Amino acid sequence: MKNKKIARKSFIFALLVCWIGVAFYGWKQTQADDSSNLQTIVIGYQAGDEFDISQARGELVEKMEAQGYKVVFKEFQNGSAEMQALASGSIDYARIGDTPGVSALAAGTDLTYVAVGGKKDQGSGILVHNDSGIDSAEDLAGKTIAYTQGTSSQYLVMKALAAAGLTTDDVNLVSLDQSAASVAYADGTVDAWANWDPATSQAEVTDNSKLVVSGSDIGDNNRSYIVAASDFAEENEEATALLIEYTNEDMEWANENTDELVDLLTDSLGVDQAVVEKMVSRRTYSMTAMTSESVSELQDIADLFYTEGLIENKVTVSDHVQYAED
């Protein structure tokens, strides 16, 4: 009799374990089904930018998922490459500098500005080596300057030259992608390199370099912007609003937790901590809806590029903005 009771208890226990296993499997399947119902949004970003911070921190992904969105990040070398990806439909949002969107609009890309970030003027500029003998923007006359066409460095060079009383005819401009420009600058093939953080901080800290002119010297705020394909922006206003809200929460965290931010970006970028400390020390982070001031700054770029023949079509930036605020 005792053996029968033991056998019965063992059977009931085994049945219970089996039931729990089936229930757990069913729950997992439900979770998988829930996950498959999430709307995927693909975000283009660049190393060290606002979305890079959000990706590394992880809060944005979790918050967006709770609202029904699966966020996928794709890294790009510069904003020009992001604009190509946006035009092809391989990304939904792009975090860019102040120039790529203007150039893309002039080329016929159907995009909408949905958000603006903080200024990056102190970390953007024209790099020269400390022993180059170039101590001012005026000294760039006759020199070879590397930049990347279609990025914020293009506008920065033009504005810096104009502030120094020079024109593009007074220098030798060479458009190179980031990797090629880095090599050319390091080996002396070019005399100067127009770029932005973290590359500028990297050169200053590790490559005996200085910013002979920065955006703050010439009134080039060099802000961050978020753009989206226009159809996508129109159809996904809720996702955009959430993305701006959660990204700005990450930016507020970044401003309030500098030491943690430095550690996070040091790991993310794989550079010396001193490089990240320099980069972080010279900017304030934010991400908000577009403003009339930011639209005006973009229009100045569009007007200059059209006047100088860098773009063939006039661009009215205000026609491509979602929810500009004063």
Side-chain angles (χ1 to χ4, degrees):
M1 181 67 68
K2 184 176 182 181
N3 290 337
K4 287 184 178 181
K5 287 183 178 180
I6 294 174
R8 186 182 178 197
K9 288 181 179 179
S10 298
F11 173 76
I12 292 173
F13 179 76
L15 190 63
L16 181 61
V17 170
C18 182
W19 179 84
I20 291 173
V22 170
F24 180 74
Y25 176 77
W27 178 81
K28 290 294 287 183
Q29 289 298 103
T30 300
Q31 293 299 103
D33 290 342
D34 288 345
S35 177
S36 67
N37 289 331
L38 296 177
Q39 178 184 340
T40 299
I41 57 175
V42 185
I43 298 174
Y45 75 100
Q46 298 171 50
D49 73 6
E50 291 86 348
F51 281 145
D52 197 9
I53 293 172
S54 288
Q55 176 183 221
R57 190 172 181 230
E59 296 283 332
L60 183 147
V61 170
E62 292 184 3
K63 291 174 182 177
M64 290 295 288
E65 184 172 337
Q67 297 294 335
Y69 300 96
K70 176 183 178 181
V71 175
V72 175
F73 290 99
K74 287 188 177 181
E75 184 176 354
F76 293 83
Q77 194 175 65
N78 56 57
S80 182
E82 287 184 82
M83 292 300 88
Q84 295 175 34
L86 193 75
S88 71
S90 61
I91 60 175
D92 301 310
Y93 296 99
R95 201 299 310 173
I96 56 175
D98 52 16
T99 300
V102 170
S103 298
L105 284 172
T109 301
D110 193 11
L111 63 83
T112 297
Y113 285 89
V114 300
V116 58
K119 298 188 294 184
K120 309 189 300 297
D121 54 332
Q122 294 184 49
S124 302
I126 301 179
L127 286 162
V128 297
H129 287 104
N130 291 330
D131 57 1
S132 66
I134 302 173
D135 298 313
S136 67
E138 289 79 6
D139 293 337
L140 291 169
K143 305 299 184 180
T144 299
I145 306 173
Y147 74 104
T148 303
Q149 185 173 346
T151 71
S152 60
S153 63
Q154 186 172 18
Y155 177 64
L156 189 147
V157 167
M158 295 180 64
K159 189 147 186 170
L161 292 176
L166 303 173
T167 70
T168 54
D169 292 332
D170 295 315
V171 298
N172 179 29
L173 295 178
V174 181
S175 178
L176 301 170
D177 65 31
Q178 294 290 89
S179 297
S182 177
V183 173
Y185 178 71
D187 67 17
T189 302
V190 300
D191 303 298
W193 182 18
N195 211 327
W196 55 86
D197 268 328
T200 49
S201 287
Q202 175 84 25
E204 289 175 280
V205 172
T206 67
D207 193 21
N208 188 38
S209 296
K210 63 184 178 183
L211 286 173
V212 70
V213 57
S214 71
S216 59
D217 296 327
I218 55 177
D220 179 12
N221 288 325
N222 192 212
R223 299 182 192 274
S224 292
Y225 292 91
I226 299 176
V227 298
S230 294
D231 288 345
F232 183 90
E234 184 176 350
E235 296 169 4
N236 294 274
E237 294 182 5
E238 179 187 76
T240 298
L242 290 170
L243 186 65
I244 295 171
E245 177 185 351
Y246 298 150
T247 304
N248 194 53
E249 288 175 2
D250 282 337
M251 298 307 99
E252 291 175 349
W253 172 88
N255 293 327
E256 296 168 0
N257 299 274
T258 304
D259 291 343
E260 292 178 56
L261 175 64
V262 168
D263 290 341
L264 182 149
L265 285 176
T266 298
D267 290 339
S268 173
L269 297 173
V271 298
D272 292 343
Q273 182 172 317
V275 172
V276 178
E277 288 174 344
K278 187 173 189 67
M279 177 181 75
V280 168
S281 71
R282 56 189 184 188
R283 68 173 297 179
T284 300
Y285 295 92
S286 67
M287 189 59 67
T288 68
M290 290 290 291
T291 64
S292 57
E293 181 182 13
S294 62
V295 173
S296 178
E297 290 174 4
L298 290 169
Q299 191 60 54
D300 287 344
I301 296 173
D303 292 343
L304 177 62
F305 277 23
Y306 182 75
T307 300
E308 294 294 324
L310 297 177
I311 56 176
E312 296 183 358
N313 301 307
K314 285 187 176 181
V315 171
T316 302
V317 176
S318 58
D319 291 342
H320 306 276
V321 173
Q322 190 175 64
Y323 305 129
E325 300 177 351
D326 291 328

